[in-house]
Amino acid sequence: MPVVKMLKQVASRTLGSPACGCQPPTLPRRFLGTSPRQIPADANFHSTSFSEANQPRVLITGWVCFFFPHLWKRFGKDNVILSDIRKPPEHVFLSGPFIYSDILDYKNLREIVVNNRVTWLFHYSALLSAVGEANVSLARAVNITGLHNVLDVAAEHGLRLFVPSTIGAFGPTSPRNPTPDLCIQRPRTIYGVSKVHAELMGEYYYYRYGLDFRCLRYPGIISADSQPGGGTTDYAVQIFQDAVKNGRFECNLNPGTKLPMMYIDDCLRATLEVMEAPAEALSLRTYNVNAMSFTPAELAQEVLKHIPEFQITYNVDSVRQAIADSWPMNFDDSTARRDWGWKHDFDLPELVTTMLNFHGAHSRVAQAN
């Protein structure tokens, strides 16, 4: 018995006091709902560098139909996991890994990361501008509480984290033409407020815990194979569908409302480029990226070059117009171009030609003739 007692005393002293004589780090504990998580105060979670021999294991929250095919091509289907709380279309479900994920459930999110050995996380789950204004409490939960869970899981497991931001992160007191990376923001929508919160929290986690957080402020994104999702810039997607189908379009913004825009291929390339950029090349955690700026009237004029009978009318939505009037007219993305070589491929003429070709504009013109 004296031997056992002596061994217990030795073990107690060994475990209770570090060899260096310093005190063990205090673990800050934050409770969100019923899910506690702990991150050491001196943690350093920078993810390992990317190499062809060590493909990242990618998780996408809130799967985006235009994004995952590019990631499949880049990293392989088995290395890209789609997730959402909604049931996916059958062709998506059968094409590659898809799992149920609720970003408001920290335990569920953590299990997904651990069980699938996730190393990169693209966090796209969010309510957009106009939809968020219609349901502020839900937008607050998804866009802010969900982000907190994602940040904590990413920091705990040393992930490289991408969170998209938006032109909506700026407000009426921001410089609008051009809008630099660093300036007064102060947005007036819950969507914009939540995105500023994401930018600042990501930067905080980078400096506090070493989280490899990367963020791009997207302009309005135009994609041929996706449906408008309730955003203020969605008119620039709907116009092509209506022009080909009906030959006319009713716009919910004033004809002179200029906003920055980008074709989806440029958006995807910018996202992958910033994620694969060497950490030492990044002078910021959040960058503006841009390709072009135009008004509804300018876009309509370009469409007319392809569909001469096209007509546009205006029925201004006061909520969307107020949002658009508080947003940048033109993004200054010179820092992204300098730091990691960003360069867009699509200007307005190329954008319109590509979109109309996708929707079959030439067949409509032939039928009209």
Side-chain angles (χ1 to χ4, degrees):
M1 290 299 295
V3 174
V4 173
K5 184 176 180 181
M6 179 182 68
L7 290 174
K8 287 182 178 179
Q9 291 174 345
V10 171
S12 176
R13 287 194 298 268
T14 302
L15 295 175
S17 303
C20 62
C22 58
Q23 294 298 317
T26 302
L27 303 180
R29 173 170 295 191
R30 178 173 66 80
F31 288 85
L32 195 154
T34 58
S35 301
R37 69 292 313 267
Q38 299 177 349
I39 302 175
D42 59 350
N44 186 0
F45 288 122
H46 283 298
S47 61
T48 57
S49 59
F50 169 74
S51 69
E52 292 296 331
N54 184 27
Q55 296 276 30
R57 291 277 293 171
V58 177
L59 173 66
I60 306 175
T61 65
W63 69 275
V64 278
C65 60
F66 51 77
F67 193 24
F68 63 83
H70 294 259
L71 292 179
W72 282 345
K73 183 178 180 180
R74 181 71 179 87
F75 303 122
K77 287 187 177 182
D78 291 339
N79 288 319
V80 179
I81 304 163
L82 312 181
S83 70
D84 205 347
I85 59 173
R86 299 171 297 173
K87 183 171 68 173
E90 185 176 3
H91 74 278
V92 173
F93 183 78
L94 297 176
S95 296
F98 185 98
I99 56 179
Y100 171 86
S101 174
D102 181 0
I103 61 169
L104 298 180
D105 185 341
Y106 176 79
K107 182 179 179 182
N108 170 246
L109 195 60
R110 190 182 193 188
E111 287 174 350
I112 290 170
V113 168
V114 171
N115 292 341
N116 294 280
R117 298 180 297 110
V118 171
T119 57
W120 285 17
L121 199 161
F122 293 84
H123 176 49
Y124 278 95
S125 293
L127 265 66
L128 301 182
S129 55
V131 176
E133 290 306 290
N135 194 338
V136 172
S137 60
L138 180 61
R140 186 173 61 235
V142 173
N143 295 5
I144 296 179
T145 303
L147 169 78
H148 293 172
N149 289 339
V150 168
L151 284 169
D152 284 345
V153 168
E156 180 182 0
H157 296 283
L159 309 186
R160 181 172 295 184
L161 173 62
F162 178 83
V163 178
S165 191
T166 167
I167 55 175
F170 297 94
T173 56
S174 306
R176 298 187 65 208
N177 191 19
T179 303
D181 290 294
L182 302 175
C183 65
I184 294 172
Q185 292 182 250
R186 305 193 69 81
R188 292 185 179 176
T189 66
I190 185 61
Y191 178 58
V193 169
S194 69
K195 286 302 182 181
V196 173
H197 179 76
E199 294 175 12
L200 295 177
M201 286 295 290
E203 186 171 325
Y204 172 78
Y205 269 60
Y206 168 74
Y207 286 110
R208 183 70 172 85
Y209 302 119
L211 172 65
D212 192 350
F213 172 84
R214 305 181 184 206
C215 177
L216 296 179
R217 294 192 188 108
Y218 290 157
I221 302 301
I222 302 173
S223 173
D225 57 353
S226 64
Q227 295 298 316
T232 302
T233 60
D234 280 352
Y235 86 87
V237 175
Q238 190 70 50
I239 188 173
F240 297 104
Q241 299 175 10
D242 288 4
V244 173
K245 183 178 180 180
N246 305 316
R248 61 184 181 275
F249 172 66
E250 182 178 270
C251 183
N252 54 27
L253 295 179
N254 283 322
T257 305
K258 177 168 285 191
L259 293 169
M261 301 282 185
M262 178 181 288
Y263 185 58
I264 185 61
D265 285 12
D266 280 340
C267 172
L268 299 177
R269 186 167 52 80
T271 302
L272 285 176
E273 285 179 3
V274 77
M275 281 294 279
E276 295 183 349
E280 59 271 16
L282 304 179
S283 64
L284 300 172
R285 292 291 106 191
T286 299
Y287 289 89
N288 292 344
V289 286
N290 196 22
M292 67 196 90
S293 290
F294 56 75
T295 68
E298 290 169 342
L299 179 57
Q301 285 298 313
E302 197 66 35
V303 172
L304 276 167
K305 296 178 182 179
H306 299 262
I307 307 178
E309 74 276 17
F310 173 68
Q311 296 179 350
I312 185 170
T313 58
Y314 297 92
N315 182 15
V316 177
D317 180 317
S318 59
V319 174
R320 281 180 166 84
Q321 187 63 51
I323 293 172
D325 289 341
S326 70
W327 283 358
M329 300 170 66
N330 185 32
F331 258 164
D332 177 1
D333 61 356
S334 56
T335 307
R337 294 175 186 267
R338 182 191 70 231
D339 282 4
W340 43 276
W342 162 242
K343 183 180 180 182
H344 70 278
D345 288 335
F346 287 80
D347 289 316
L348 182 56
E350 292 82 6
L351 166 71
V352 172
T353 300
T354 302
M355 291 290 288
L356 290 177
N357 284 344
F358 180 89
H359 289 292
H362 293 307
S363 63
R364 173 180 172 84
V365 172
Q367 290 172 0
N369 292 337

